[in-house]
Amino acid sequence: MGGRHVTVRQSYYSVPAKFIGAKVRVKLRANELLVFDGRKVVARHPRLTRRYTAHDILDHYLEILLVRPGAFAGASALAQARAEGTFTKTHEAFWAAAKAKCGDRDGTRLLIEVLLLHRQLPAEAVVAGMTTVVKVGSVNPDLVAIEARKAIEDSGLDEADGFNDTEADVCDDQDDDAEAGDTADEGAKVISLHARRLPPDPRTRLPDMAKYDRLLAPPAPPRTQQKGTSA
């Protein structure tokens, strides 16, 4: 699928889809590259050493793939996620079960909705949720979220808040600020190899996790009516 990257020293790094066309700041470190929106880190990549190579992160493409699920199977970001082990056998099993139950297009959309949960919940918890849900014969992303929250409570994991690094956390004197095209100005513009507007996201927001808290809460005890007493 088309690239949505910053170009630094003739290498290409993906960024979240919402930053297509935006200006961001890029910082090179010895072994990694960081992309900033203001002081917030929005992407983190291993530093590439070969020119004209690319590093894609699957999460950066999910909003686009949600409206174009047919492109998911052939996405280079999926191939890299498999190679790096972030797209696990459990993800594969959930995807296969979802496609068998709902067809390729709708089954892939269900998988992408589960992948979006990784932005809010630890990877181990989401994987545990998928495992449980598939075992009971379901492919419902809402149930995956519920089971993931149960796994968090059982294991004591902290909920994931996504990227929360600031410039003070990750900068040092030996870092190199870089802009697309190998310059050293403040900003870098995210470019798309296929320039077009990002399709609207049919999911206006990520799942409200408070909903799952309410579902997991124990039922309230029944209210008893007290009989009146006469004086």
Side-chain angles (χ1 to χ4, degrees):
M1 59 185 299
R4 291 147 185 91
H5 303 90
V6 288
T7 305
V8 179
R9 298 189 179 176
Q10 298 178 307
S11 297
Y12 310 103
Y13 302 86
S14 69
V15 295
K18 67 179 181 179
F19 291 103
I20 294 174
K23 285 189 176 182
V24 294
R25 186 165 56 83
V26 177
K27 184 169 287 290
L28 286 170
R29 305 187 76 181
N31 297 312
E32 65 180 353
L33 176 137
L34 306 176
V35 181
F36 289 87
D37 176 34
R39 294 177 61 86
K40 182 180 179 65
V41 175
V42 296
R44 185 189 297 270
H45 293 269
R47 182 169 179 171
L48 299 175
T49 57
R50 295 177 58 190
R51 293 188 299 174
Y52 310 119
T53 55
H55 188 264
D56 290 315
I57 295 175
L58 183 58
D59 179 77
H60 294 168
Y61 296 87
L62 294 181
E63 286 84 355
I64 297 170
L65 292 169
L66 194 62
V67 294
R68 296 180 56 204
F72 186 86
S76 61
L78 174 60
Q80 289 196 13
R82 281 171 167 156
E84 294 170 359
T86 54
F87 193 84
T88 66
K89 292 182 179 179
T90 304
H91 291 89
E92 301 277 10
F94 182 93
W95 190 17
K99 289 191 292 183
K101 197 175 188 70
C102 303
D104 287 358
R105 180 179 178 84
D106 290 340
T108 299
R109 285 174 60 88
L110 291 175
L111 170 69
I112 295 170
E113 291 189 27
V114 169
L115 292 174
L116 286 166
L117 293 174
H118 283 289
R119 298 182 180 180
Q120 296 176 287
L121 301 170
E124 305 96 309
V126 176
V127 169
M130 284 189 288
T131 300
T132 300
V133 167
V134 169
K135 281 182 179 179
V136 300
S138 176
V139 289
N140 188 328
D142 287 344
L143 292 181
V144 173
I146 291 171
E147 294 298 329
R149 291 299 296 270
K150 288 181 181 179
I152 292 171
E153 293 172 359
D154 292 342
S155 64
L157 292 170
D158 291 329
E159 290 192 22
D161 293 325
F163 289 111
N164 57 7
D165 294 320
T166 61
E167 184 174 13
D169 296 325
V170 295
C171 296
D172 59 51
D173 294 337
Q174 296 180 352
D175 292 344
D176 298 323
D177 282 319
E179 183 187 3
D182 301 342
T183 64
D185 296 333
E186 273 190 3
K189 188 171 184 179
V190 179
I191 59 170
S192 173
L193 299 184
H194 297 287
R196 61 179 180 82
R197 295 186 65 183
L198 181 66
D201 183 1
R203 294 170 58 97
T204 57
R205 57 187 175 86
L206 294 178
D208 178 8
M209 299 312 297
K211 172 178 67 175
Y212 304 119
D213 287 334
R214 292 193 293 271
L215 291 173
L216 288 170
R223 297 179 63 181
T224 58
Q225 295 184 348
Q226 295 182 351
K227 295 182 178 180
T229 59
S230 56

